[in-house]
Amino acid sequence: MKNYGDLKIKDHCLTVGGCKASALAEKYGTPIYVFDVNRAVKTAKAYVDVLEKEYGNFTVCYASKAFCCTGIYNVLAPLGLGADVVSGGELYTALKGGIDPKRIYFHGNNKSESEIKYALTVGVGCFVVDSIDEADIISKHARAPQRVIVRVNPGVEAHTHRFIQTTMPDSKFGFSVADGTAKQFILSIKDKPNIDFAGVACHIGSQIFEKQSFEIAIDKMTDFIAELEKLGVKVKILDLGGGFGIRYIDEDNPLTPEQYMANSARYLKAAAEQKGITLPHLVVEPGRSIVGEAGITLYTVGSIKTIKDLKTYAAVDGGMFENPRPSMYDAEYTAVVADRADAENTNTYSIAGKCCESGDVLIKDIKLPKLSRGDVLAVLSTGAYHYSMASNYNRNAVPPVVAVKDGKSDYMIKPQTYEDLVRNDVIPFSENNK
Ligand code: LLP
């Protein structure tokens, strides 16, 4: 096991946040997501510190979609982070968790009128406008000039899974820079009543390792800003989105937040100077990189099934309901046996989930020590896009999130009960459905 977050092996046992993983499994049951609070704080602080040093005029907005609950905002807000939200629900949670509304950027390619009204009422700092009608709806409901930036598609091909790539020419996100629609749209809204046009946003994809992809985005965005400024349009904010990759498997070698950010900050300063544009307020929106390696998922191994001459499945008590990423994106993971974390990997298993789908396999062909029913298996780097993408498929309960910190543990999100699963069910047309 390489370095995943701050995981340690002590007396052959995996520990996280100073807690023994198998003891957490015993105390809280499985499956559970475990979240190392200090690890997330450390990464978030790294973003703030490096931008303070290298750039000065910036906002780090945590991308809520990676892991959204009041507890995470409660940890990040005191560090001065804002939030990127994409729905009324994320906005509500961010406010409940203590994020300053002025530091909220409201994204989304199809915000509803009621979401827009809600965001205006609570005073979100900035809308990231992503459709023509959105600007009209904001203009109609805003009582004072509302700050907006415009999501553009700079057309950058980042090397990542095609479903998490967002700036290909046919993307549903943003106004295209290449065909002139972005410029046209900005010119059309900049003098609209109650619209305070302040800048531009892009997001080139997720789980990106190459710093060059961000450099190309900066090149294209600063070219575009220069073009707008020539037309007399002031651009105060440049939002470069998130996308910074993390380690899921030993072969992954992500840069550190310091490296990603120092590079982008320097590159942006040089580009701005060369193109003669005002240095914009820089917004970055890391999601996965703040929470991803802070999370692990603990499972209990159940049935083990060998198909002669083909493979051996070890089934766990989770599956695609709590981690849909392998079936959606062919995502790969590393796992360790919690109490034999440094034992020799002698056997090959496919780790199957418990959902009624052949495709519900969490890890294909991983080498592990010999497994037995009852072993606690830890899958690493599950802090981002796991809880937030979980479902009740097959009416499985979404696992709780247990926070760990300095050797202590506590719920961050409580477990769902069977009663929770039927709470909103009603028998239609019946007497008690009133
Ligand atoms: N900003 C915008 C506008 C975004 O669309 C995203 C992610 C982010 C920031 C945060 O990106 P991050 O730093 O987390 O890479 N469900 C997929 C990832 C989808 C990402 C969508 N947008 C997954 O599980 O890999």
Side-chain angles (χ1 to χ4, degrees), residues 374-393:
D375 276 339
V376 174
L377 191 71
V379 172
L380 312 186
S381 299
T382 63
Y385 303 110
H386 283 70
Y387 175 79
S388 63
M389 291 176 71
S391 74
N392 287 127
Y393 186 44

Side-chain angles (χ1 to χ4, degrees), residues 2 207 209 246-254 332:
K2 274 201 185 172
Q207 185 59 0
F209 288 144
I246 64 163
R247 168 168 288 143
Y248 285 98
I249 53 173
D250 285 358
E251 292 73 28
D252 290 338
N253 271 316
E332 295 183 280

Side-chain angles (χ1 to χ4, degrees), residues 47 61 63-66 84 86 107 128 151 163-164 166 173 202-203 205-208 239-245 248 284-290 325 328-329 331 333 384-386 389:
Y47 275 102
C61 276
S64 304
K65 68 208 82 178
D84 140 12
V86 296
H107 282 259
V128 185
R151 170 80 179 257
F163 290 156
I164 37 190
T166 32
F173 294 107
C202 71
H203 169 78
S206 200
Q207 185 59 0
I208 298 168
D239 177 344
L240 288 175
F244 319 106
Y248 285 98
V284 289
E285 300 171 338
R288 187 192 314 268
S289 56
I290 291 182
R325 301 189 69 257
M328 284 179 83
Y329 317 123
Y333 290 89
Y385 303 110
H386 283 70
M389 291 176 71

Side-chain angles (χ1 to χ4, degrees), residues 408-428:
K408 293 202 261 302
S409 65
D410 197 7
Y411 280 126
M412 192 162 184
I413 300 173
K414 289 189 198 162
Q416 276 188 337
T417 61
Y418 286 154
E419 192 46 42
D420 289 333
L421 295 177
V422 296
R423 189 168 314 282
N424 293 332
D425 291 9
V426 287
I427 309 296

Side-chain angles (χ1 to χ4, degrees), residues 154 156 202 204 212-222 240:
V156 178
C202 71
I204 58 171
Q212 288 79 4
S213 301
F214 297 104
E215 291 173 358
I216 298 169
I218 292 169
D219 271 333
K220 299 216 175 182
M221 293 301 279
T222 47
L240 288 175

Side-chain angles (χ1 to χ4, degrees), residues 214-277:
F214 297 104
E215 291 173 358
I216 298 169
I218 292 169
D219 271 333
K220 299 216 175 182
M221 293 301 279
T222 47
D223 281 347
F224 183 52
I225 293 174
E227 195 183 333
L228 290 172
E229 291 201 335
K230 272 205 199 89
L231 296 168
V233 180
K234 251 187 137 20
V235 178
K236 290 180 268 182
I237 299 176
L238 171 59
D239 177 344
L240 288 175
F244 319 106
I246 64 163
R247 168 168 288 143
Y248 285 98
I249 53 173
D250 285 358
E251 292 73 28
D252 290 338
N253 271 316
L255 300 176
T256 62
E258 289 86 346
Q259 289 167 324
Y260 284 122
M261 283 303 103
N263 187 67
S264 288
R266 287 176 201 161
Y267 200 86
L268 173 56
K269 282 200 286 196
E273 193 179 325
Q274 192 208 341
K275 295 170 195 176
I277 61 171

Side-chain angles (χ1 to χ4, degrees), residues 61 73 76 105 111 147 280 296 340:
C61 276
Y73 298 115
L76 299 179
Y105 281 66
K111 304 173 188 76
R147 171 164 279 196
I296 63 172
R340 284 177 286 140

Side-chain angles (χ1 to χ4, degrees), residues 316-339:
V316 292
D317 48 0
M320 63 198 298
F321 64 98
E322 49 75 31
N323 181 6
R325 301 189 69 257
S327 43
M328 284 179 83
Y329 317 123
D330 292 325
E332 295 183 280
Y333 290 89
T334 307
V336 298
V337 182
D339 277 347

